[in-house]
């Protein structure tokens, strides 16, 4: 077969592998695992057969003194280091197994590597070495020539299938890395599909899947050379090993609290092995090793720019939160016309009033009669029960009709584009108002204090009401700031009659619930903040390009909040503001 035919077949196989990813790691793993197991058993058996057939003296290669003698005999020449870089390829691929820790249990990977992967690889390479010692002319095709003729074609088919499947670990690891980068705010928002109820890490990212397919096809069709692809892979692996070693230092010091002598011993022993291989691979940068470096630099720039701008935008929103004193100073009407309806103001802040709200009411002459600040949080659990989904708090006095709601979703919960979300939120608001009024009338004493003497008690009972709602709606750990307070309405009670108080309380609750019903019937509007980050005029050219063009481009192509929250476009209102950094 010509090289062009081989490349064409490889591209077709790549398209097929990436097209299967949407089924999920679990199903793909069940399909691929038997082939990989047969492959390892095959190469281990062939290696053991060659060791028995061509001599067991090759087992002395496990003694590390021979590599010292090799360098002493050959000297410190470039060819010597080039050979060492070729040896590096014997371990490439095995490290991808540990990248699947998010997709499979740790114990399963430990058992697979210890009892299957490692011994079979040792037998396979040692058996090939024994064959080459007796057949030096077959060094370029030692693997297939060392296979007995009776099982040549079955081994060829299994080897081809194993080569196809070997990329699965790298694909799964890429999904895990992107998901962690998303959690740290270091990558543009992309759609993450969770494919398993049992394992949180089993995910599928469509955008990354097709981007990775394009990069793989570009490398395969661009090089058309197995040795250059091997050099690129070897360079990537050895750099990953070095980075992992250096990242282990803070883990050992800060997390494991290891003694500094143990840390130094680990670093010295690891670098003694990794630095020679690193130097050997660096010599092959011009022969394909530049590819992973270019890709790494490109992703580093993307992640750094996105993280920098995202952090600056979040800091601006945190530092520009509206104070409760400012809200109270506006009065019940907020200094504006309160039009009938409910306004859902979406914000990333779990506490405080976002700056986008003050920006909105400063530029528009009206606001809805009921305002609900909605913060949607996705938790690392499979699902959040509906009855535990919402956390509700009141902001300011009751006659302000301003609430905060934190809506919590598991990774398999869907935020559907229908009336379910509005209905569930409205029901939780109603429940909150009823429980709040019930707890507001609670007292340990036999007599009720006068209105002007019970402010502190009202706040305490209000806190109990909030705690009761939090217990019913969730057992969550999200905290609120002191801005989220319940300021009681001064009751006109002048007698200590429990029945009279309860009757008036019921009328107050009924009036507020009826008010909420009228506002809901008037219409619901979803108000979404959109803070645009721009570079200052006196900024450098690199910062302007990074912020005004690169970050702006990534913001345009990534998933918008309205898509993530499935907000209906017919009732969506975007409120924008520009922040200069």
């Amino acid at each position: 077969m010509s090289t062009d035919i081989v490349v064409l077949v490889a591209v077709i196989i790549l398209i097929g592998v990436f097209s299967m990813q949407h089924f999920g790691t679990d199903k793909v793993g069940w399909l691929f695992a038997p082939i990989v197991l047969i492959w390892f058993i095959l190469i281990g058996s062939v290696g053991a057969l060659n060791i028995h057939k061509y001599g067991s003296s090759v087992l002395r290669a496990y003694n590390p003194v021979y590599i010292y003698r090799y360098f002493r005999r050959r000297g410190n020449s470039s060819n010597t280091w080039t050979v060492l870089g070729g040896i590096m390829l014997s371990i490439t691929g095995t490290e991808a197994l540990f990248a699947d820790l998010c997709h499979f249990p740790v114990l399963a990977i430990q058992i697979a590597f210890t009892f299957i992967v490692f011994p079979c690889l040792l037998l396979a390479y040692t058996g090939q070495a024994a064959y080459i010692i007796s057949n030096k002319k077959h060094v370029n095709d030692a693997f297939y020539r060392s296979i007995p003729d009776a099982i040549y074609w079955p081994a060829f088919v299994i080897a081809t299938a194993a080569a196809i499947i070997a990329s699965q670990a790298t694909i799964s690891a890429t999904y895990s890395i992107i998901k962690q980068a998303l959690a740290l705010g270091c990558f543009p928002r992309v759609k993450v599909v969770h494919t398993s109820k049992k394992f949180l890490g089993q995910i599928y990212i469509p955008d990354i899947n097709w981007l990775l397919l394009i990069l793989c096809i570009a490398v395969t069709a661009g090089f058309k050379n197995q040795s250059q692809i091997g050099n690129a892979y070897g360079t990537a692996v050895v750099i990953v090993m070095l980075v992992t070693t250096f990242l282990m230092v803070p883990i050992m010091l800060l997390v494991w609290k290891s003694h500094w002598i143990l840390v130094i011993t680990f670093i010295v022993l690891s670098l003694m092995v990794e630095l020679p291989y690193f130097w050997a691979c660096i010599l092959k940068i011009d022969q394909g090793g530049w590819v992973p470096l270019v890709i790494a630099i490109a992703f580093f720039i993307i992640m750094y720019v996105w993280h920098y701008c995202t952090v600056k935008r979040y800091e601006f929103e945190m530092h520009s939160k509206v104070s409760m004193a400012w809200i109270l100073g506006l009065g019940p009407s907020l200094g504006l016309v309160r039009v009938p309806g409910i306004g859902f103001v979406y914000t990333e802040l779990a506490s405080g009033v976002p700056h986008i709200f003050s920006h909105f009411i400063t530029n528009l002459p009206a606001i809805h009669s009921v305002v609900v600040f909605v913060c949607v949080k996705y938790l690392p659990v499979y699902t959040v029960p509906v009855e535990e989904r919402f956390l509700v708090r009141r902001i300011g006095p009751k006659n302000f009709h301003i609430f905060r709601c934190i809506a919590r979703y598991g990774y398999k919960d869907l935020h559907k584009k229908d009336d379910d979300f509005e209905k569930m939120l409205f029901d939780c608001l109603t429940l909150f108002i009823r429980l709040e009024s019930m707890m507001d009338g609670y007292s340990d004493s036999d007599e009720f204090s006068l209105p002007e003497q019970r402010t502190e008690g009202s706040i305490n009972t209000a806190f109990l009401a909030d705690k009761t709602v939090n217990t019913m709606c969730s057992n969550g750990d999200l905290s609120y700031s002191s801005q989220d307070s319940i300021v009681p309405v001064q009751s006109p009670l002048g007698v200590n009659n429990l029945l009279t108080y309860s009757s008036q309380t019921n009328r107050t609750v009924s009036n507020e619930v009826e008010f909420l019903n009228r506002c809901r019937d008037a219409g619901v509007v979803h108000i979404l903040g959109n803070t645009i980050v721009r570079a200052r005029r006196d900024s450098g050219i690199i910062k302007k390009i990074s912020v005004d063009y690169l970050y702006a481009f990534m913001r345009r192509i990534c998933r918008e909040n309205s898509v993530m929250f499935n907000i209906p476009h017919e009732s969506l209102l975007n409120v924008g503001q520009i922040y200069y950094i």
Side-chain angles (χ1 to χ4, degrees):
M1 297 175 65
S2 64
T3 303
D4 294 335
I5 297 297
V6 173
V7 171
L8 179 61
V9 173
V11 169
I12 294 174
I13 292 175
L14 284 173
I15 295 175
V17 171
F18 281 96
S19 299
M20 296 177 60
Q21 298 303 314
H22 71 279
F23 291 109
T25 308
D26 211 8
K27 294 182 176 61
V28 175
W30 276 108
L31 177 64
F32 288 169
I35 300 176
V36 175
L37 179 62
I38 295 173
W39 161 251
F40 278 116
I41 295 176
L42 172 66
I43 61 175
S45 302
V46 171
L49 179 63
N50 288 328
I51 293 173
H52 174 74
K53 183 176 181 180
Y54 297 103
S56 60
S57 61
V58 72
L59 296 176
R60 289 184 296 174
Y62 294 153
N63 188 348
V65 73
Y66 286 101
I67 189 66
Y68 167 75
R69 294 179 180 178
Y70 174 79
F71 276 98
R72 188 181 65 178
R73 183 175 68 253
R74 297 288 300 270
N76 194 19
S77 63
S78 60
N79 291 334
T80 304
W81 290 101
T82 302
V83 172
L84 188 62
I87 297 175
M88 181 69 189
L89 296 177
S90 65
I91 62 172
T92 56
T94 58
E95 84 293 336
L97 187 67
F98 294 95
D100 285 338
L101 286 176
C102 292
H103 292 255
F104 299 99
V106 176
L107 182 60
I109 294 180
Q110 291 174 335
I111 294 175
F113 191 90
T114 304
F115 297 102
I116 298 177
V117 177
F118 184 61
C120 289
L121 287 178
L122 285 181
L123 290 173
Y125 287 118
T126 307
Q128 289 183 43
Y131 178 83
I132 292 174
I133 290 175
S134 302
N135 303 273
K136 295 182 176 62
K137 295 182 179 180
H138 298 165
V139 66
N140 292 326
D141 194 19
F143 172 73
Y144 284 107
R145 289 183 177 271
S146 64
I147 296 176
D149 295 336
I151 60 171
Y152 177 84
W153 286 111
F156 178 82
V157 173
I158 296 174
T160 304
I164 296 171
I165 297 169
S167 60
Q168 179 60 43
T170 305
I171 297 173
S172 302
T174 304
Y175 298 155
S176 300
I177 293 172
I178 296 298
K179 183 175 181 296
Q180 296 299 324
L182 284 172
L184 297 173
C186 297
F187 201 81
R189 294 184 298 270
V190 292
K191 182 179 181 181
V192 178
V193 179
H194 293 265
T195 59
S196 173
K197 296 181 180 180
K198 187 176 181 181
F199 296 104
L200 174 62
Q202 292 189 4
I203 59 176
Y204 166 67
I205 305 179
D207 300 332
I208 300 301
N209 183 69
W210 303 123
L211 177 61
L212 198 60
L213 171 62
I214 294 173
L215 290 176
C216 289
I217 292 177
V219 171
T220 303
F223 280 153
K224 298 182 180 181
N225 188 306
Q226 184 178 356
S227 62
Q228 289 185 333
I229 296 179
N231 294 336
Y233 199 58
T235 304
V237 169
V238 73
I239 292 177
V240 167
M241 292 170 61
L242 278 174
V243 171
T244 305
T245 298
F246 287 120
L247 289 179
M248 281 296 295
V249 174
I251 295 295
M252 296 178 71
L253 291 175
L254 302 177
V255 180
W256 297 345
K257 308 293 184 181
S258 302
H259 196 273
W260 63 271
I261 295 179
L262 181 61
V263 176
I264 293 178
T265 303
F266 168 77
I267 289 293
V268 171
L269 293 178
S270 298
L271 294 184
M272 284 176 58
V273 177
E274 294 168 2
L275 287 180
Y277 283 115
F278 175 74
W279 178 252
C281 292
I282 288 297
L283 298 176
K284 297 184 177 182
I285 285 183
D286 60 336
Q287 303 175 25
W290 57 271
V291 173
L293 298 179
V294 171
I295 296 176
I297 292 173
F299 273 88
F300 174 79
I301 293 174
I302 292 173
M303 295 173 68
Y304 178 80
V305 170
W306 181 267
H307 179 70
Y308 173 78
C309 296
T310 302
V311 168
K312 288 295 183 182
R313 183 171 62 88
Y314 186 77
E315 289 177 351
F316 165 74
E317 294 178 355
M318 286 292 295
H319 295 156
S320 303
K321 289 192 298 186
V322 180
S323 65
M324 183 56 62
W326 184 81
I327 294 291
L328 295 176
L330 296 176
S333 65
L334 301 180
L336 302 168
V337 177
R338 300 296 293 267
V339 298
I342 299 179
F344 289 156
V345 182
Y346 289 84
T347 175
E348 296 180 3
L349 303 179
S351 63
V353 178
H355 180 265
I356 197 71
F357 178 69
S358 64
H359 180 72
F360 175 78
I361 65 177
T362 302
N363 292 273
L364 293 178
I367 190 65
H368 299 87
S369 299
V370 177
V371 177
V372 182
F373 295 101
V374 181
C375 179
V376 179
K377 295 294 184 181
Y378 290 90
L379 307 182
V381 295
Y382 172 67
T383 183
V384 177
V386 176
E387 62 272 11
E388 301 179 1
R389 179 155 297 167
F390 296 102
L391 292 172
V392 180
R393 278 278 180 111
R394 188 189 294 275
I395 298 179
K398 291 183 178 180
N399 54 354
F400 278 40
H401 301 297
I402 303 178
F403 302 89
R404 174 187 317 285
C405 174
I406 297 181
R408 307 181 305 168
Y409 287 84
Y411 57 83
K412 287 295 285 184
D413 292 327
L414 297 179
H415 193 149
K416 296 182 180 180
K417 181 184 176 182
D418 51 29
D419 295 332
D420 287 347
F421 176 78
E422 298 175 6
K423 182 179 182 301
M424 288 188 296
L425 180 53
F426 184 82
D427 292 341
C428 202
L429 281 175
T430 305
L431 176 63
F432 170 79
I433 292 172
R434 296 185 183 278
L435 289 177
E436 179 190 44
S437 299
M438 290 170 56
M439 299 303 294
D440 195 35
Y442 173 79
S443 176
D444 288 334
S445 62
D446 294 334
E447 295 182 352
F448 286 91
S449 304
L450 293 176
E452 62 272 10
Q453 296 175 340
R454 59 183 298 274
T455 302
E456 182 178 355
S458 297
I459 294 177
N460 291 334
T461 54
F463 171 76
L464 291 176
D466 291 338
K467 195 168 184 179
T468 303
V469 174
N470 290 348
T471 303
M472 294 188 65
C473 293
S474 106
N475 295 319
D477 55 356
L478 294 172
S479 60
Y480 296 83
S481 70
S482 58
Q483 296 180 0
D484 299 340
S485 59
I486 298 178
V487 181
V489 179
Q490 294 298 324
S491 173
L493 290 177
V495 293
N496 299 326
N497 191 304
L498 178 60
L499 294 177
T500 303
Y501 180 86
S502 300
S503 176
Q504 292 181 356
T505 300
N506 291 334
R507 285 198 301 268
T508 303
V509 173
S510 299
N511 292 338
E512 188 166 10
V513 171
E514 184 180 354
F515 177 77
L516 284 177
N517 287 323
R518 291 199 305 267
C519 292
R520 183 183 62 172
D521 295 338
V524 176
V525 176
H526 301 265
I527 303 172
L528 191 63
N530 186 18
T531 302
I532 300 174
V533 179
R534 302 294 295 271
R536 290 192 176 95
R537 294 182 179 179
D538 57 349
S539 302
I541 183 66
I542 296 179
K543 185 176 182 179
K544 287 184 178 180
I545 294 176
S546 301
V547 177
D548 295 345
Y549 295 97
L550 181 58
Y551 178 73
F553 173 74
M554 289 189 290
R555 279 292 300 269
R556 285 195 298 269
I557 65 174
C558 75
R559 299 186 76 207
E560 296 181 355
N561 286 330
S562 59
V563 177
M564 295 175 63
F565 301 153
N566 281 311
I567 299 175
H569 292 284
E570 57 272 11
S571 58
L572 173 63
L573 177 62
N574 264 303
V575 180
Q577 59 182 350
I578 299 178
Y579 171 54
Y580 291 95
I581 61 176

